Amino acid sequence: MRMITFLLVGLIVHVVFFLSIFDIYFTSPLVHGMTPHATPQAPPSSRLVLVVADGLRADSFFTLLPNGSSRAPYLRSVIEEKGTWGVSHTRVPTESRPGHVALIAGFYEDVSAVAKGWKENPVEFDSVFNETRHTWCWGSPDILPMFAKGASGDHVYTHTYPAEEEDFASTDASRLDTWVFTQVKSFFQSAKSNASLRANLLQDENVFFLHLLGIDTNGHAHRPMSQEYLDNIGLVDTGVAELVSMVEDFFGHDGRTAYVFTSDHGMTNWGSHGAGHPSETLTPLVAWGAGVHNARRATGPQPYSDGFLQDWKLEHLQRVDVNQADIAPLMASLIGVPFPLNSVGILPLLYLNNSEHFKAESMYTNAIQVLEQYKIKMTQKKETTMPFLFTPFDCLVTRMTVSLFCPQVASFFHRAMLTVGLAVLSLWPFLSGLFGKAKFRSLSWCLGCLCLAAFPLMPVVGREPNVHLVTFAGVLSLFTSACYLWSSRPRTTMHLSDRQQFVSQVTTVCAYVPSLTHSSLQQKQGLPLLNQVISWSTLASSMIVPLLSSTRLFQRLLSIFLSLTATYLLLSTGSEALFPPVLAWLMFVWINIEQEAMLAQASHPLNLHGFPQTSCIGICSPIFYQNMHSGLSTIDFSANIDIAKLRQLKLDDIRRSYFFVFFIITAFFGTGNIASINSFDPASVYCFLTVFNPFLMGGLMMWKVVIPFIIVMCTFETIQVATQLSSRSLFLIVLVISDLMALHFFFLVQDYGSWLDIGTSISHYVIVMSMTIFLMLLSVVTHILTSQRLTLWRHKKHFP
């Protein structure tokens, strides 16, 4: 009862500290109560057409083909003849929702929206769409509804395709854009015979928004350098040309329509986005039509040193770069609607073609709108701000924790520090004297540490898929498992049911699903149904099948390893597939070498460090001696008993806990970094689904991260059983070490600098605190996973 109370109190305390950071830093920065302001001068345009090509990189759009032509000839002609162009600089996170919020609402995404998965509005916000008379939108069901939901009244109309259409395995994702253009054509065609709709269209302060997702989908599925991605740009260009012709014909070429073409974010060469790489933050911007300056020739050197003007052959035309949030006040100014209430964008005057009076009034309106937000924020700050002072003791604690946990803490900033730490750990048997007593196991430990040390040096982003490595990882897992089964025959008897189970698990691991899926997607044949069924079945059974095996130590561990590895392989695309087999190999060696350490302590008057050995007589149970001398293979997880009163903590137990925390961090950063969204390739979930579903895809990727955790946790559970130490005692040491690390990151949290700096400091603290809470919960799961057994059938007893 005391243990349960202790765990509950500890869990509550950690959850409170965990949530406190969200209450401080992840609350909405938006304020309300401002008065909307619009430029009093007559606007230059009556309507605006906004076209957003989701996932379009600036270089992919502006760069000419080898023959000197453009893959977007219509928009290139606009740049050279009748429009103003530049690069729109986005901010982290470079995701679809934050990008569209910046474009249309004029502020950078409310960080509290991350808890909603960028799907819903955590708080209501104003946008250009909300201030218009009417807005018609066509495109993705993930983007359009959030602006309609936040709008007052019912003047924002959305037309979306089914979410199932967003399929990365689609034979041609550009059909999403074709759908949008077709719907817009039908809309204007129907307006010719619909008097009420035509009347609404002829009013001023209207916006037409086209969200084109095909380029983004093709980029995720085939990479931005693929022909599918590049051809999709040409399709969009043709669609925009036809759209402009149709709109101008409908409104009788009245010269009152403004056009803006841009993108919400770019994309890395490996088909992901979300971080701050230039390929993600640099997007194209082209504006033309009523109220927008015509193309202007550069009269001298331009203030840009990035070399893009020369690369894109546009050095003869004036380039006007903007921050992404500046586009919202530009659109509001063009059609004469109030600036969005929470907009922080600065009106880009060089895009406007109007009188100096109009520009001055627009600038004044822009400044007044921002000033009103500042006044309300200052009022709220005076009412709620409380000083938080750091004492010299805080600084001392922080310094004591870079010193005690240098590799673990430094690995959050530099993954290569894990390589250094593993190289040092590889020397442990030689420094402790174990090498003379267990040469083979010591060499295995050293070799395992060095092999695992290679993974933090591998890149976590930009890797090309290599299914051959995934297949090799499966073969390696089968080989090591077969070697164990063959070598364990003389020592332990294995029931027929256990043999049958291992054979079935081996068959699952050996499944050629990743290779077949990758081949099918390359041939644009979609995700085979059989592969999808096998993948989901393997995932669903990964935590159940081990419970059917024997609770003998190595048999249960092998069953857990095979089940988890099978799932991990299905979620792998390359070299990371080798991580679980190498990690499991080192964990098995760790279990064996800890037994050697216990035997050495029990049989020698001096411990391994040369100090007098405390006698085990009277403080260790007979089971302890039996386990040490009869071998680990005889230990049964289900027979584990709490002997906290019979076995006291020793210095080596602190070392074991330190090793455990280090291996947990290694499992966390070994093949990726959850603090960076770019560490994960969406192609890793293609064996399970290809239709865009951020929650399901994110859940699968999280499970991929958790699998190495479970392998390490099960190993730690085994060491607790093998050394006959109460799990409560050993786990308390782990919690103390984890909390000291969390305290270090707590003092490193900052509320100044860039969004990326603030977010990184917060994410580090959140990760460590989450890990502490997660370990508390996972310890219960792993205890069940190792010690419990399900019996689906009973062996018949035959009596003489």
Side-chain angles (χ1 to χ4, degrees), residues 543 557 560 564 583-584 587 590-591 637 657 659-661 663-665 667 705-721 727 730-731 734-735 738 771-787:
M543 296 295 285
L557 287 182
I560 294 172
L564 296 179
L583 177 65
M587 294 298 98
W590 185 24
I591 294 170
F637 278 114
S657 301
F659 277 15
F660 168 72
V661 174
F663 286 134
I664 282 290
I665 300 295
V705 174
V706 168
I707 285 175
F709 272 70
I710 297 179
I711 293 176
V712 177
M713 282 294 297
C714 289
T715 302
F716 194 58
E717 179 79 13
T718 304
I719 289 175
Q720 291 177 129
V721 174
S727 59
L730 209 52
F731 197 69
V734 172
L735 288 181
S738 301
M771 184 180 71
T772 304
I773 298 172
F774 179 68
L775 291 179
M776 296 176 69
L777 299 175
L778 197 59
S779 64
V780 179
V781 175
T782 53
H783 179 72
I784 296 174
L785 196 60
T786 55
S787 61

Short mmCIF file of all heavy atoms in Angstrom, two decimals, residues 543 557 560 564 583-584 587 590-591 637 657 659-661 663-665 667 705-721 727 730-731 734-735 738 771-787:
data_model
loop_
_atom_site.label_atom_id
_atom_site.label_comp_id
_atom_site.label_asym_id
_atom_site.label_seq_id
_atom_site.Cartn_x
_atom_site.Cartn_y
_atom_site.Cartn_z
N MET A 543 2.35 -6.62 -28.48
CA MET A 543 2.36 -6.61 -27.02
C MET A 543 1.59 -7.78 -26.42
O MET A 543 1.57 -7.93 -25.20
CB MET A 543 1.76 -5.28 -26.52
CG MET A 543 2.55 -4.05 -26.91
SD MET A 543 4.19 -3.98 -26.16
CE MET A 543 3.75 -3.53 -24.49
N LEU A 557 12.45 -12.71 -22.90
CA LEU A 557 13.13 -11.58 -23.52
C LEU A 557 13.23 -11.74 -25.02
O LEU A 557 13.05 -10.79 -25.79
CB LEU A 557 14.53 -11.40 -22.92
CG LEU A 557 14.62 -10.84 -21.50
CD1 LEU A 557 16.07 -10.69 -21.10
CD2 LEU A 557 13.90 -9.50 -21.40
N ILE A 560 9.86 -11.01 -26.60
CA ILE A 560 9.60 -9.56 -26.64
C ILE A 560 10.42 -8.92 -27.74
O ILE A 560 9.90 -8.09 -28.52
CB ILE A 560 9.95 -8.93 -25.27
CG1 ILE A 560 8.99 -9.44 -24.18
CG2 ILE A 560 9.91 -7.41 -25.36
CD1 ILE A 560 9.38 -9.01 -22.78
N LEU A 564 8.76 -6.90 -31.01
CA LEU A 564 9.01 -5.47 -31.19
C LEU A 564 9.84 -5.20 -32.44
O LEU A 564 9.62 -4.21 -33.14
CB LEU A 564 9.73 -4.91 -29.96
CG LEU A 564 8.93 -4.94 -28.65
CD1 LEU A 564 9.76 -4.38 -27.51
CD2 LEU A 564 7.63 -4.16 -28.78
N LEU A 583 21.08 -2.93 -30.37
CA LEU A 583 20.74 -2.55 -28.99
C LEU A 583 20.39 -3.79 -28.17
O LEU A 583 20.85 -3.93 -27.02
CB LEU A 583 19.57 -1.57 -29.00
CG LEU A 583 19.04 -1.12 -27.64
CD1 LEU A 583 20.09 -0.32 -26.89
CD2 LEU A 583 17.75 -0.30 -27.78
N ALA A 584 19.59 -4.69 -28.74
CA ALA A 584 19.21 -5.91 -28.02
C ALA A 584 20.42 -6.78 -27.73
O ALA A 584 20.52 -7.38 -26.66
CB ALA A 584 18.17 -6.68 -28.83
N MET A 587 22.13 -5.31 -24.81
CA MET A 587 21.34 -5.50 -23.60
C MET A 587 21.47 -6.93 -23.07
O MET A 587 21.56 -7.15 -21.86
CB MET A 587 19.86 -5.18 -23.88
CG MET A 587 19.56 -3.72 -24.21
SD MET A 587 19.95 -2.56 -22.86
CE MET A 587 21.58 -1.97 -23.39
N TRP A 590 24.74 -7.12 -21.43
CA TRP A 590 24.71 -6.40 -20.15
C TRP A 590 24.14 -7.29 -19.05
O TRP A 590 24.67 -7.33 -17.94
CB TRP A 590 23.86 -5.13 -20.31
CG TRP A 590 23.86 -4.24 -19.10
CD1 TRP A 590 24.81 -4.17 -18.13
CD2 TRP A 590 22.85 -3.29 -18.73
NE1 TRP A 590 24.46 -3.24 -17.17
CE2 TRP A 590 23.27 -2.68 -17.52
CE3 TRP A 590 21.65 -2.90 -19.31
CZ2 TRP A 590 22.50 -1.70 -16.89
CZ3 TRP A 590 20.89 -1.92 -18.68
CH2 TRP A 590 21.31 -1.32 -17.48
N ILE A 591 23.08 -8.01 -19.36
CA ILE A 591 22.48 -8.92 -18.37
C ILE A 591 23.50 -9.95 -17.92
O ILE A 591 23.67 -10.20 -16.71
CB ILE A 591 21.24 -9.60 -18.96
CG1 ILE A 591 20.13 -8.58 -19.23
CG2 ILE A 591 20.72 -10.68 -18.01
CD1 ILE A 591 18.98 -9.13 -20.03
N PHE A 637 10.69 -15.05 -14.39
CA PHE A 637 10.18 -13.73 -14.05
C PHE A 637 9.01 -13.80 -13.08
O PHE A 637 8.88 -12.97 -12.18
CB PHE A 637 9.73 -12.99 -15.32
CG PHE A 637 10.85 -12.33 -16.08
CD1 PHE A 637 11.20 -12.78 -17.34
CD2 PHE A 637 11.55 -11.27 -15.54
CE1 PHE A 637 12.22 -12.17 -18.05
CE2 PHE A 637 12.58 -10.66 -16.24
CZ PHE A 637 12.92 -11.11 -17.49
N SER A 657 22.00 1.94 -12.31
CA SER A 657 20.98 2.94 -12.61
C SER A 657 21.51 3.99 -13.58
O SER A 657 20.79 4.43 -14.49
CB SER A 657 20.51 3.63 -11.32
OG SER A 657 19.97 2.68 -10.41
N PHE A 659 23.87 3.49 -15.84
CA PHE A 659 23.91 2.82 -17.14
C PHE A 659 22.52 2.82 -17.78
O PHE A 659 22.37 3.06 -18.98
CB PHE A 659 24.38 1.38 -16.98
CG PHE A 659 25.88 1.24 -16.91
CD1 PHE A 659 26.70 2.34 -16.69
CD2 PHE A 659 26.48 0.00 -17.07
CE1 PHE A 659 28.08 2.21 -16.61
CE2 PHE A 659 27.85 -0.14 -17.00
CZ PHE A 659 28.66 0.98 -16.76
N PHE A 660 21.51 2.55 -16.97
CA PHE A 660 20.14 2.48 -17.49
C PHE A 660 19.71 3.82 -18.07
O PHE A 660 19.16 3.88 -19.19
CB PHE A 660 19.20 2.05 -16.37
CG PHE A 660 17.75 2.22 -16.71
CD1 PHE A 660 17.14 1.38 -17.62
CD2 PHE A 660 16.99 3.22 -16.11
CE1 PHE A 660 15.79 1.54 -17.95
CE2 PHE A 660 15.66 3.38 -16.43
CZ PHE A 660 15.06 2.54 -17.34
N VAL A 661 19.94 4.91 -17.34
CA VAL A 661 19.56 6.23 -17.84
C VAL A 661 20.32 6.55 -19.12
O VAL A 661 19.76 7.09 -20.09
CB VAL A 661 19.83 7.31 -16.77
CG1 VAL A 661 19.59 8.71 -17.33
CG2 VAL A 661 18.94 7.08 -15.56
N PHE A 663 21.47 4.40 -21.35
CA PHE A 663 20.92 3.60 -22.45
C PHE A 663 19.54 4.10 -22.88
O PHE A 663 19.18 4.00 -24.05
CB PHE A 663 20.86 2.13 -22.05
CG PHE A 663 22.20 1.46 -22.02
CD1 PHE A 663 22.56 0.65 -20.95
CD2 PHE A 663 23.10 1.63 -23.05
CE1 PHE A 663 23.80 0.04 -20.92
CE2 PHE A 663 24.34 1.02 -23.03
CZ PHE A 663 24.71 0.22 -21.96
N ILE A 664 18.76 4.64 -21.93
CA ILE A 664 17.47 5.23 -22.28
C ILE A 664 17.67 6.43 -23.20
O ILE A 664 16.97 6.60 -24.22
CB ILE A 664 16.69 5.64 -21.02
CG1 ILE A 664 16.06 4.42 -20.36
CG2 ILE A 664 15.61 6.67 -21.35
CD1 ILE A 664 14.90 3.81 -21.15
N ILE A 665 18.63 7.30 -22.85
CA ILE A 665 18.93 8.45 -23.70
C ILE A 665 19.43 7.99 -25.06
O ILE A 665 19.08 8.56 -26.10
CB ILE A 665 19.97 9.37 -23.03
CG1 ILE A 665 19.45 9.89 -21.69
CG2 ILE A 665 20.33 10.53 -23.94
CD1 ILE A 665 18.26 10.79 -21.81
N ALA A 667 18.67 5.17 -26.53
CA ALA A 667 17.51 4.66 -27.26
C ALA A 667 16.68 5.81 -27.83
O ALA A 667 16.06 5.68 -28.89
CB ALA A 667 16.64 3.81 -26.33
N VAL A 705 9.53 5.25 -31.77
CA VAL A 705 10.45 5.80 -30.78
C VAL A 705 10.41 5.00 -29.49
O VAL A 705 11.43 4.81 -28.82
CB VAL A 705 10.11 7.28 -30.52
CG1 VAL A 705 10.96 7.85 -29.39
CG2 VAL A 705 10.30 8.11 -31.78
N VAL A 706 9.22 4.52 -29.12
CA VAL A 706 9.04 3.84 -27.84
C VAL A 706 9.65 2.43 -27.84
O VAL A 706 10.10 1.95 -26.79
CB VAL A 706 7.53 3.77 -27.50
CG1 VAL A 706 7.26 2.83 -26.32
CG2 VAL A 706 7.00 5.16 -27.19
N ILE A 707 9.71 1.78 -28.97
CA ILE A 707 10.17 0.38 -29.03
C ILE A 707 11.56 0.21 -28.41
O ILE A 707 11.76 -0.69 -27.57
CB ILE A 707 10.11 -0.14 -30.47
CG1 ILE A 707 8.65 -0.42 -30.85
CG2 ILE A 707 10.95 -1.41 -30.65
CD1 ILE A 707 8.45 -0.84 -32.28
N PRO A 708 12.58 1.01 -28.76
CA PRO A 708 13.87 0.87 -28.08
C PRO A 708 13.78 1.11 -26.58
O PRO A 708 14.50 0.48 -25.79
CB PRO A 708 14.76 1.91 -28.76
CG PRO A 708 14.13 2.13 -30.11
CD PRO A 708 12.67 1.99 -29.87
N PHE A 709 12.87 2.01 -26.15
CA PHE A 709 12.65 2.23 -24.72
C PHE A 709 12.24 0.93 -24.04
O PHE A 709 12.76 0.59 -22.97
CB PHE A 709 11.52 3.25 -24.52
CG PHE A 709 11.98 4.68 -24.50
CD1 PHE A 709 12.43 5.28 -25.66
CD2 PHE A 709 11.96 5.43 -23.34
CE1 PHE A 709 12.83 6.60 -25.66
CE2 PHE A 709 12.35 6.75 -23.33
CZ PHE A 709 12.79 7.34 -24.50
N ILE A 710 11.30 0.22 -24.64
CA ILE A 710 10.79 -1.00 -24.03
C ILE A 710 11.88 -2.05 -23.94
O ILE A 710 11.99 -2.79 -22.94
CB ILE A 710 9.59 -1.53 -24.83
CG1 ILE A 710 8.44 -0.52 -24.79
CG2 ILE A 710 9.11 -2.86 -24.26
CD1 ILE A 710 7.23 -0.93 -25.58
N ILE A 711 12.73 -2.14 -24.97
CA ILE A 711 13.84 -3.11 -24.94
C ILE A 711 14.76 -2.81 -23.76
O ILE A 711 15.16 -3.72 -23.01
CB ILE A 711 14.61 -3.07 -26.27
CG1 ILE A 711 13.73 -3.60 -27.41
CG2 ILE A 711 15.91 -3.88 -26.17
CD1 ILE A 711 14.38 -3.51 -28.77
N VAL A 712 15.09 -1.55 -23.55
CA VAL A 712 15.97 -1.17 -22.43
C VAL A 712 15.26 -1.39 -21.10
O VAL A 712 15.86 -1.88 -20.13
CB VAL A 712 16.43 0.29 -22.58
CG1 VAL A 712 17.27 0.71 -21.37
CG2 VAL A 712 17.23 0.48 -23.86
N MET A 713 13.97 -1.04 -21.03
CA MET A 713 13.23 -1.21 -19.78
C MET A 713 13.12 -2.68 -19.39
O MET A 713 13.26 -3.02 -18.20
CB MET A 713 11.83 -0.61 -19.92
CG MET A 713 11.76 0.89 -19.80
SD MET A 713 12.21 1.52 -18.17
CE MET A 713 10.92 0.80 -17.16
N CYS A 714 12.88 -3.55 -20.36
CA CYS A 714 12.80 -4.98 -20.05
C CYS A 714 14.14 -5.51 -19.58
O CYS A 714 14.21 -6.39 -18.70
CB CYS A 714 12.33 -5.76 -21.28
SG CYS A 714 10.58 -5.49 -21.69
N THR A 715 15.21 -4.99 -20.15
CA THR A 715 16.55 -5.37 -19.70
C THR A 715 16.78 -4.95 -18.26
O THR A 715 17.32 -5.72 -17.44
CB THR A 715 17.61 -4.73 -20.61
OG1 THR A 715 17.39 -5.13 -21.96
CG2 THR A 715 19.01 -5.13 -20.18
N PHE A 716 16.36 -3.74 -17.94
CA PHE A 716 16.53 -3.25 -16.57
C PHE A 716 15.70 -4.07 -15.59
O PHE A 716 16.14 -4.37 -14.47
CB PHE A 716 16.12 -1.78 -16.52
CG PHE A 716 16.56 -1.08 -15.26
CD1 PHE A 716 17.88 -1.02 -14.90
CD2 PHE A 716 15.63 -0.46 -14.44
CE1 PHE A 716 18.28 -0.36 -13.74
CE2 PHE A 716 16.01 0.20 -13.30
CZ PHE A 716 17.34 0.25 -12.94
N GLU A 717 14.50 -4.46 -16.02
CA GLU A 717 13.67 -5.34 -15.19
C GLU A 717 14.37 -6.67 -14.96
O GLU A 717 14.33 -7.23 -13.86
CB GLU A 717 12.33 -5.54 -15.89
CG GLU A 717 11.35 -6.45 -15.16
CD GLU A 717 10.64 -5.78 -14.01
OE1 GLU A 717 10.70 -4.53 -13.91
OE2 GLU A 717 10.02 -6.48 -13.19
N THR A 718 15.02 -7.17 -16.00
CA THR A 718 15.74 -8.44 -15.87
C THR A 718 16.90 -8.34 -14.90
O THR A 718 17.14 -9.24 -14.08
CB THR A 718 16.26 -8.88 -17.26
OG1 THR A 718 15.18 -8.94 -18.17
CG2 THR A 718 16.95 -10.22 -17.19
N ILE A 719 17.63 -7.22 -14.97
CA ILE A 719 18.77 -7.02 -14.07
C ILE A 719 18.30 -6.92 -12.63
O ILE A 719 18.96 -7.43 -11.70
CB ILE A 719 19.56 -5.77 -14.50
CG1 ILE A 719 20.29 -6.06 -15.81
CG2 ILE A 719 20.55 -5.35 -13.42
CD1 ILE A 719 21.00 -4.87 -16.39
N GLN A 720 17.15 -6.30 -12.42
CA GLN A 720 16.61 -6.24 -11.06
C GLN A 720 16.32 -7.63 -10.53
O GLN A 720 16.61 -7.94 -9.37
CB GLN A 720 15.31 -5.41 -11.07
CG GLN A 720 15.54 -3.93 -11.33
CD GLN A 720 14.24 -3.16 -11.40
OE1 GLN A 720 14.08 -2.16 -10.74
NE2 GLN A 720 13.32 -3.60 -12.21
N VAL A 721 15.75 -8.48 -11.39
CA VAL A 721 15.43 -9.84 -10.98
C VAL A 721 16.71 -10.64 -10.76
O VAL A 721 16.86 -11.37 -9.77
CB VAL A 721 14.54 -10.53 -12.03
CG1 VAL A 721 14.32 -11.99 -11.67
CG2 VAL A 721 13.20 -9.80 -12.12
N SER A 727 12.72 -3.75 -7.06
CA SER A 727 12.55 -2.82 -8.16
C SER A 727 12.32 -1.40 -7.64
O SER A 727 12.70 -0.42 -8.27
CB SER A 727 11.37 -3.26 -9.04
OG SER A 727 10.18 -3.32 -8.27
N LEU A 730 15.87 0.23 -6.84
CA LEU A 730 16.67 0.56 -8.01
C LEU A 730 16.01 1.65 -8.83
O LEU A 730 16.68 2.54 -9.36
CB LEU A 730 16.86 -0.71 -8.86
CG LEU A 730 18.15 -0.80 -9.69
CD1 LEU A 730 19.37 -0.56 -8.82
CD2 LEU A 730 18.24 -2.15 -10.38
N PHE A 731 14.68 1.62 -8.91
CA PHE A 731 13.99 2.61 -9.71
C PHE A 731 14.01 3.99 -9.05
O PHE A 731 13.98 5.01 -9.75
CB PHE A 731 12.54 2.16 -9.96
CG PHE A 731 11.87 2.89 -11.08
CD1 PHE A 731 12.28 2.69 -12.38
CD2 PHE A 731 10.85 3.79 -10.83
CE1 PHE A 731 11.67 3.36 -13.43
CE2 PHE A 731 10.23 4.46 -11.86
CZ PHE A 731 10.64 4.24 -13.17
N VAL A 734 17.00 5.72 -10.29
CA VAL A 734 16.77 6.20 -11.65
C VAL A 734 15.99 7.50 -11.65
O VAL A 734 16.30 8.45 -12.38
CB VAL A 734 16.03 5.12 -12.48
CG1 VAL A 734 15.62 5.67 -13.83
CG2 VAL A 734 16.91 3.89 -12.65
N LEU A 735 14.95 7.57 -10.81
CA LEU A 735 14.14 8.78 -10.74
C LEU A 735 14.94 9.97 -10.24
O LEU A 735 14.76 11.10 -10.72
CB LEU A 735 12.92 8.55 -9.86
CG LEU A 735 11.82 7.65 -10.42
CD1 LEU A 735 10.67 7.56 -9.43
CD2 LEU A 735 11.31 8.18 -11.75
N SER A 738 17.08 11.11 -13.15
CA SER A 738 16.25 11.77 -14.16
C SER A 738 15.78 13.14 -13.69
O SER A 738 15.75 14.11 -14.47
CB SER A 738 15.04 10.89 -14.50
OG SER A 738 15.43 9.64 -14.99
N MET A 771 9.96 11.96 -20.06
CA MET A 771 10.68 10.70 -19.92
C MET A 771 10.57 10.17 -18.49
O MET A 771 10.38 8.97 -18.27
CB MET A 771 12.15 10.89 -20.30
CG MET A 771 12.97 9.61 -20.29
SD MET A 771 14.68 9.91 -20.74
CE MET A 771 15.26 10.78 -19.29
N THR A 772 10.67 11.08 -17.51
CA THR A 772 10.56 10.65 -16.12
C THR A 772 9.18 10.06 -15.83
O THR A 772 9.06 8.99 -15.23
CB THR A 772 10.82 11.85 -15.18
OG1 THR A 772 12.10 12.41 -15.49
CG2 THR A 772 10.79 11.41 -13.74
N ILE A 773 8.13 10.78 -16.26
CA ILE A 773 6.77 10.28 -16.06
C ILE A 773 6.56 9.01 -16.86
O ILE A 773 5.96 8.04 -16.38
CB ILE A 773 5.75 11.36 -16.49
CG1 ILE A 773 5.91 12.61 -15.61
CG2 ILE A 773 4.33 10.83 -16.41
CD1 ILE A 773 5.09 13.79 -16.08
N PHE A 774 7.09 9.00 -18.08
CA PHE A 774 6.92 7.85 -18.96
C PHE A 774 7.59 6.61 -18.37
O PHE A 774 7.05 5.50 -18.45
CB PHE A 774 7.51 8.18 -20.33
CG PHE A 774 7.43 7.08 -21.32
CD1 PHE A 774 6.20 6.68 -21.82
CD2 PHE A 774 8.56 6.43 -21.78
CE1 PHE A 774 6.10 5.66 -22.75
CE2 PHE A 774 8.48 5.42 -22.71
CZ PHE A 774 7.25 5.03 -23.19
N LEU A 775 8.77 6.78 -17.77
CA LEU A 775 9.47 5.64 -17.17
C LEU A 775 8.69 5.06 -16.00
O LEU A 775 8.67 3.84 -15.79
CB LEU A 775 10.87 6.06 -16.72
CG LEU A 775 11.88 6.38 -17.82
CD1 LEU A 775 13.21 6.79 -17.22
CD2 LEU A 775 12.07 5.17 -18.73
N MET A 776 8.03 5.93 -15.24
CA MET A 776 7.23 5.44 -14.13
C MET A 776 6.08 4.57 -14.63
O MET A 776 5.79 3.51 -14.07
CB MET A 776 6.67 6.62 -13.32
CG MET A 776 7.75 7.47 -12.65
SD MET A 776 7.07 8.90 -11.79
CE MET A 776 6.22 8.10 -10.43
N LEU A 777 5.43 5.02 -15.71
CA LEU A 777 4.33 4.24 -16.26
C LEU A 777 4.84 3.01 -17.00
O LEU A 777 4.26 1.92 -16.91
CB LEU A 777 3.51 5.11 -17.22
CG LEU A 777 2.85 6.34 -16.59
CD1 LEU A 777 2.16 7.18 -17.67
CD2 LEU A 777 1.83 5.92 -15.53
N LEU A 778 5.96 3.17 -17.72
CA LEU A 778 6.49 2.06 -18.51
C LEU A 778 7.04 0.95 -17.64
O LEU A 778 7.05 -0.21 -18.04
CB LEU A 778 7.59 2.57 -19.45
CG LEU A 778 7.97 1.66 -20.62
CD1 LEU A 778 6.77 1.40 -21.50
CD2 LEU A 778 9.10 2.28 -21.43
N SER A 779 7.48 1.29 -16.42
CA SER A 779 7.98 0.25 -15.52
C SER A 779 6.88 -0.73 -15.16
O SER A 779 7.12 -1.94 -15.03
CB SER A 779 8.56 0.89 -14.25
OG SER A 779 7.54 1.56 -13.52
N VAL A 780 5.65 -0.21 -15.02
CA VAL A 780 4.51 -1.09 -14.74
C VAL A 780 4.21 -1.97 -15.95
O VAL A 780 3.97 -3.18 -15.83
CB VAL A 780 3.27 -0.26 -14.36
CG1 VAL A 780 2.07 -1.16 -14.10
CG2 VAL A 780 3.56 0.60 -13.13
N VAL A 781 4.26 -1.37 -17.15
CA VAL A 781 3.97 -2.12 -18.37
C VAL A 781 5.00 -3.22 -18.58
O VAL A 781 4.65 -4.36 -18.90
CB VAL A 781 3.95 -1.16 -19.58
CG1 VAL A 781 3.78 -1.94 -20.89
CG2 VAL A 781 2.83 -0.14 -19.43
N THR A 782 6.28 -2.90 -18.41
CA THR A 782 7.32 -3.90 -18.64
C THR A 782 7.28 -5.01 -17.59
O THR A 782 7.62 -6.15 -17.88
CB THR A 782 8.71 -3.24 -18.64
OG1 THR A 782 8.87 -2.46 -17.43
CG2 THR A 782 8.88 -2.35 -19.83
N HIS A 783 6.85 -4.67 -16.38
CA HIS A 783 6.71 -5.72 -15.37
C HIS A 783 5.65 -6.72 -15.79
O HIS A 783 5.84 -7.95 -15.66
CB HIS A 783 6.35 -5.10 -14.02
CG HIS A 783 6.16 -6.11 -12.92
ND1 HIS A 783 7.20 -6.80 -12.35
CD2 HIS A 783 5.02 -6.56 -12.33
CE1 HIS A 783 6.72 -7.64 -11.45
NE2 HIS A 783 5.40 -7.50 -11.41
N ILE A 784 4.55 -6.21 -16.32
CA ILE A 784 3.49 -7.10 -16.82
C ILE A 784 4.00 -7.88 -18.04
O ILE A 784 3.76 -9.08 -18.18
CB ILE A 784 2.24 -6.29 -17.18
CG1 ILE A 784 1.65 -5.64 -15.93
CG2 ILE A 784 1.20 -7.17 -17.88
CD1 ILE A 784 0.51 -4.71 -16.21
N LEU A 785 4.72 -7.20 -18.91
CA LEU A 785 5.20 -7.81 -20.15
C LEU A 785 6.19 -8.94 -19.88
O LEU A 785 6.26 -9.91 -20.64
CB LEU A 785 5.86 -6.74 -21.02
CG LEU A 785 6.09 -7.06 -22.50
CD1 LEU A 785 4.79 -7.37 -23.20
CD2 LEU A 785 6.81 -5.91 -23.18
N THR A 786 6.94 -8.83 -18.79
CA THR A 786 7.94 -9.87 -18.50
C THR A 786 7.42 -10.96 -17.58
O THR A 786 7.82 -12.12 -17.73
CB THR A 786 9.19 -9.23 -17.86
OG1 THR A 786 8.78 -8.48 -16.70
CG2 THR A 786 9.91 -8.32 -18.84
N SER A 787 6.54 -10.64 -16.66
CA SER A 787 6.19 -11.61 -15.62
C SER A 787 4.84 -12.30 -15.81
O SER A 787 4.60 -13.35 -15.20
CB SER A 787 6.21 -10.93 -14.24
OG SER A 787 5.25 -9.89 -14.20
#
